[in-house]
Amino acid sequence: MKGLIRKDLEIIMLQKNFFLIMIGAGLCMSSLALYTMIMFMCYMFGSLVIGTISYDELDNGMPYIMCLPIKHSDYVKEKFLMTFMMIFGGYILGIIASVIIMIIGEELDILLLLESIILVPLAYVLAVIQIPVRIKYGQEKSRLINILTMMILMIGSSMLFVSIGGADIQLWMMIAIGVVLIIVLICVLYKLSIRIVENKEY
């Protein structure tokens, strides 16, 4: 597991120029809203891990990886864990940038910073939903599928929140329902990813 994490970190560091551009783009988004900047950084940092799957498959790399003393589930587990680590790192960077911007503008809003933690699980779901698709269909085919999946997810989430809001459900219950749905979805994506890796011929 540690070897896989180190491998992905080395691959991500090869993209340091894109990494810096991404941070700059996120800071520019602070002019729109701090939430937008934090969400952008979380999601883009997580997407860097998804990109390592393509590097793993380059030059028949996957057969070599699968010959190592690891299970198929270890490979998937590392991708899910690494994605969370990167997203949380993006979140921390976004929070630090937000605090600096707030201090410069003399409008420090602690409540906004506390509420922004909800962006981490949202960005995580949006990122890991790409893992089984990327493993199954590869980089080229997965792009269109991911776009369609994101659209369905966003439309479905909007409809769900509208229906829940119309049902006059208390805030704590909405949060509880959201947490349960996110956990269930992550578990399904994790199991599905393992199944795809196990059934795929390398």
Side-chain angles (χ1 to χ4, degrees), residues 1-13 78 82:
M1 181 70 72
K2 291 182 180 179
L4 292 174
I5 292 176
R6 182 175 179 180
K7 171 187 67 65
D8 281 354
L9 286 174
E10 293 289 341
I11 292 174
I12 291 172
M13 289 307 298
E78 185 271 338
M82 191 67 187

Side-chain angles (χ1 to χ4, degrees), residues 48-85:
L48 288 173
V49 181
I50 310 303
T52 62
I53 298 175
S54 299
Y55 281 90
D56 292 341
E57 296 174 344
L58 189 66
D59 295 330
N60 293 320
M62 284 301 294
Y64 173 76
I65 293 175
M66 291 305 164
C67 288
L68 298 175
I70 61 171
K71 300 178 181 178
H72 292 87
S73 59
D74 292 334
Y75 179 80
V76 175
K77 187 185 300 181
E78 185 271 338
K79 293 301 180 186
F80 274 71
L81 177 60
M82 191 67 187
T83 301
F84 178 79
M85 291 168 57

Side-chain angles (χ1 to χ4, degrees), residues 87-182:
I87 286 176
F88 193 74
Y91 171 73
I92 296 299
L93 185 61
I95 288 296
I96 293 174
S98 298
V99 171
I100 294 174
I101 292 171
M102 287 179 178
I103 291 175
I104 294 175
E106 298 181 352
E107 295 180 357
L108 186 59
D109 189 346
I110 301 299
L111 181 60
L112 183 147
L113 297 176
L114 294 175
E115 290 176 345
S116 66
I117 191 65
I118 190 62
L119 299 177
V120 174
L122 292 177
Y124 186 65
V125 169
L126 291 175
V128 297
I129 203 171
Q130 301 178 57
I131 293 178
V133 178
R134 179 64 67 88
I135 295 175
K136 177 70 174 179
Y137 298 103
Q139 183 176 5
E140 295 300 326
K141 293 182 180 179
S142 64
R143 290 177 180 174
L144 178 59
I145 297 174
N146 282 327
I147 292 173
L148 295 175
T149 303
M150 296 297 177
M151 290 176 62
I152 294 172
L153 184 63
M154 287 188 291
I155 294 173
S157 300
S158 300
M159 293 176 64
L160 179 62
F161 278 109
V162 169
S163 60
I164 290 176
D168 193 24
I169 299 178
Q170 294 183 355
L171 178 61
W172 67 268
M173 189 173 294
M174 291 179 61
I175 295 175
I177 293 173
V179 169
V180 172
L181 289 176
I182 287 174

